[in-house]
Structures are given as C-alpha cells and as structure tokens.
Amino acid sequence: MADKPSDIATLSFEKALAELEQIVRSLEGGNVPLEESITLFGRGEQLKAHCDKLLKVAEAKVDKIRLDAEGKPASLEPLPEA
C-alpha cells in the first residue's frame, strides 16, 4: 500500500480500485487496530474520490463521441485537460 495521500493522484483507476478493495477487506476482517483502521478508512475515502473523478472523466470522453448515421464514430471532440 502506498504511504502518502498525495500519491493517489498518480494512480490509475485500476490500481486505485485494487488498493481500495484491499482496504475494504482489511477493515471487514476486523483484525486491524483502531488507529490503523481510522488511517485506512481515510485513505479509502481518498481513493474512492479519485476513482469517482476518473470515472467522470471517462464518461465525459464517451459522451463526446459523435456517431454518424450508421452508428459509427464520426468524430471525437477533445476535452479540456483536467
């Protein structure tokens, strides 16, 4: 697991989701001391927010695809950088 919250911004969706799933398993297991549980929960919240952001960006990209009369992609409209 990564050590710094600031590194979350550099994680891909897949890596952030995998780490979030590991945190959930650890917390659900009930064998984590209280202080560590609080720290893990906070990181989990940050990972969830990061995943949500990445999903919204992906959805916006999909929404920008323009289809022609045959239903094939006709053009892509570039999105502004986030």
Side-chain angles (χ1 to χ4, degrees):
M1 193 173 327
D3 296 325
K4 296 183 281 181
S6 62
D7 69 346
I8 290 174
T10 64
L11 293 176
S12 68
F13 176 81
E14 293 79 10
K15 288 183 179 182
L17 185 60
E19 185 178 338
L20 181 56
E21 289 171 341
Q22 178 60 42
I23 288 172
V24 169
R25 281 191 296 275
S26 294
L27 293 174
E28 286 179 344
N31 296 324
V32 180
L34 179 60
E35 285 301 315
E36 186 178 348
S37 293
I38 293 168
T39 300
L40 286 173
F41 184 83
R43 180 145 176 104
E45 284 291 312
Q46 293 172 338
L47 288 163
K48 179 189 173 296
H50 180 64
C51 288
D52 285 343
K53 177 184 171 190
L54 293 176
L55 282 175
K56 286 179 183 167
V57 169
E59 287 173 354
K61 287 179 181 178
V62 169
D63 288 344
K64 293 291 181 180
I65 296 173
R66 304 288 181 227
L67 301 179
D68 63 17
E70 297 174 2
K72 296 179 184 174
S75 68
L76 294 176
E77 185 179 322
L79 290 174
E81 293 296 317

